[in-house]
Amino acid sequence: MNLDIHVNLSTLTLIMVIELGTGVLVGWIIKEAAKLIAHNRPESFRVVRKEEYASRSYGERTPQNFFSTFGLNCDIVIVESNEEEVIKEVFYTPLGDHVKVEYKNDGGTSTSTSFLSAPIYTSTVILPIVVGFVLCATVTQLSDNSFNYAHETSLFLGNIGIHLLISGVVWFASLYWIPSIVSVVTKVNEIYSNRSEYVPVTQVETVPIAPETQERNANWMERFFWIFLILGTVCIALSWYLHSLGYMAENPELKAGYRMLISGFIFWANIPWIVMGVGCITSNLTLKDYLQPQSLYPHLIAFFVSLLFVFATGSYWLFSAGGAEMLVNYPGLFISDSGEILDSQSLNPQLIKLWWGLGVASGVATMAFMLIRVIRLPSS
């Protein structure tokens, strides 16, 4: 059954408010429960205000919580001690996001955080996107006679799934893109200020988002390789346009379709590269950090999420919204190894779906391999 993509702004707003309220409530419960446990065990735990505490490892600094909502700073620290020696520190923000620092017997330090330690991020981004995608995928596999009231049920579930997906994307933009854009603007202002006026300042040591990026002088190719990926995408779209000129001249009715396909390709194909570029600019990441990551820092996770989102959107368009059939009817977009332009006589929707499926499978497998590799890396 095809999805009825109809978005109601009031419904979307209500869903987003519920998601935010749920995250705030869960975060408050987690934080208050941790404080209650600490107060009931004063021999092992103590609760201190962040400004009054010097960390065993970070001193007066705060370990960066990659998933901290709206970039809020920590306000309290729950310290666990064993015979007057600190063995664990948990830094909490006002909304319950937290990052944990553990001190091992061999002298090593382990700092950990994930979306599970950020209840608002989980309730506004992770769960809506996952649940929404599952609902939409389920609806597309149903038929009107699958069971009693199948049509009405499918319309309701599909509508909820669409709203959840959109809310997750909007929240992701709010919690990730806006702080990133602010960070880029801040860096540009700092560069401009440093060039226009020299003001002696005290250097403050900070905690990098990705440990391996500290004290690294990367060349411009490693920092800005993502620009060439965007240019490559634009070049492919330009070749499509040039190949389609003859077909548009023969059949002017195809112009609108070609423009939609080419502009859509430029937009969707560049989303992951733009996300990658934000990470390179704001956090000094390079090509190696994306090909051989040493930890699951937030920009890498954002890159993976953007890829999965493009895969999911493209799969829905090709398999459920008639995208494969549309591509067959617009020759000039596919060229064989011998340089021959493939058209409806040599292409069919099943073949396009097969190519796409293999590409998505290889992409997901590559991401899974990278995640497994990072998880197996020994923590410092």
Side-chain angles (χ1 to χ4, degrees), residues 162-221:
I162 291 294
H163 281 81
L164 287 174
L165 280 174
I166 294 176
S167 71
V169 172
V170 172
W171 275 121
F172 175 75
S174 301
L175 300 179
Y176 175 77
W177 281 102
I178 294 177
S180 297
I181 293 173
V182 171
S183 178
V184 171
V185 173
T186 302
K187 284 182 176 292
V188 172
N189 289 335
E190 289 177 354
I191 294 174
Y192 178 78
S193 300
N194 292 335
R195 288 182 177 180
S196 61
E197 181 180 0
Y198 174 74
V199 179
V201 296
T202 303
Q203 296 295 324
V204 180
E205 189 177 1
T206 59
V207 182
I209 289 181
E212 62 272 22
T213 65
Q214 191 174 12
E215 297 180 0
R216 177 178 58 192
N217 295 319
N219 60 50
W220 68 272
M221 277 291 294

Side-chain angles (χ1 to χ4, degrees), residues 88-303:
K88 183 190 299 184
E89 301 165 338
V90 184
F91 297 77
Y92 285 88
T93 69
L95 294 179
D97 300 333
H98 55 278
V99 55
K100 179 172 61 176
V101 181
E102 293 183 288
Y103 301 97
K104 303 177 181 179
N105 295 330
D106 58 2
T109 303
S110 173
T111 303
S112 59
T113 182
S114 69
F115 64 86
L116 295 177
S117 62
I120 293 181
Y121 190 89
T122 301
S123 66
T124 57
V125 178
I126 302 298
L127 289 180
I129 290 180
V130 172
V131 175
F133 179 76
V134 170
L135 287 177
C136 292
T138 302
V139 168
T140 57
Q141 301 302 316
L142 296 177
S143 60
D144 289 342
N145 56 358
S146 298
F147 52 87
N148 292 334
Y149 305 106
H151 181 73
E152 294 78 4
T153 303
S154 298
L155 286 178
F156 174 76
L157 293 179
N159 188 258
I160 294 297
I162 291 294
H163 281 81
L164 287 174
L165 280 174
I166 294 176
S167 71
V169 172
V170 172
W171 275 121
F172 175 75
S174 301
L175 300 179
Y176 175 77
W177 281 102
I178 294 177
S180 297
I181 293 173
V182 171
S183 178
V184 171
V185 173
T186 302
K187 284 182 176 292
V188 172
N189 289 335
E190 289 177 354
I191 294 174
Y192 178 78
S193 300
N194 292 335
R195 288 182 177 180
S196 61
E197 181 180 0
Y198 174 74
V199 179
V201 296
T202 303
Q203 296 295 324
V204 180
E205 189 177 1
T206 59
V207 182
I209 289 181
E212 62 272 22
T213 65
Q214 191 174 12
E215 297 180 0
R216 177 178 58 192
N217 295 319
N219 60 50
W220 68 272
M221 277 291 294
E222 293 176 325
R223 287 286 308 281
F224 299 101
F225 68 95
W226 52 275
I227 295 179
F228 295 96
L229 296 175
I230 294 177
L231 292 177
T233 303
V234 174
C235 288
I236 293 175
L238 180 61
S239 70
W240 285 4
Y241 176 75
L242 294 176
H243 287 140
S244 66
L245 287 176
Y247 298 101
M248 287 190 289
E250 294 177 2
N251 189 355
E253 294 180 356
L254 296 178
K255 287 184 179 181
Y258 274 116
R259 289 173 181 171
M260 186 194 74
L261 289 172
I262 294 173
S263 60
F265 173 76
I266 294 176
F267 174 77
W268 290 102
N270 280 321
I271 288 178
W273 312 141
I274 294 174
V275 173
M276 182 183 289
V278 171
C280 293
I281 293 175
T282 60
S283 301
N284 196 31
L285 301 182
T286 66
L287 176 61
K288 182 179 179 182
D289 296 315
Y290 287 95
L291 296 181
Q292 297 178 341
Q294 304 299 310
S295 61
L296 291 179
Y297 38 89
H299 289 295
L300 178 65
I301 295 176
F303 176 64

Side-chain angles (χ1 to χ4, degrees), residues 318-331:
L318 285 172
F319 288 88
S320 301
E325 290 75 12
M326 182 178 182
L327 289 174
V328 170
N329 295 324
Y330 285 82

Side-chain angles (χ1 to χ4, degrees), residues 3-79:
L3 288 173
D4 180 17
I5 303 179
H6 175 73
V7 179
N8 184 284
L9 185 59
S10 298
T11 303
L12 179 63
T13 303
L14 177 61
I15 289 177
M16 294 182 65
V17 170
I18 293 175
E19 292 167 349
L20 179 62
T22 302
V24 171
L25 177 61
V26 173
W28 179 81
I29 292 175
I30 291 175
K31 184 177 180 180
E32 292 303 314
K35 290 168 61 177
L36 180 61
I37 294 174
H39 287 308
N40 289 335
R41 298 179 57 187
E43 70 280 359
S44 301
F45 295 90
R46 58 192 176 100
V47 181
V48 296
R49 297 178 61 85
K50 175 60 188 72
E51 58 269 21
E52 300 173 355
Y53 179 73
S55 170
R56 172 180 167 182
S57 176
Y58 292 89
E60 296 182 356
R61 296 179 291 119
T62 300
Q64 185 165 354
N65 188 345
F66 301 148
F67 301 95
S68 177
T69 307
F70 306 118
L72 294 177
N73 295 323
C74 297
D75 61 341
I76 67 167
V77 185
I78 297 181
V79 185

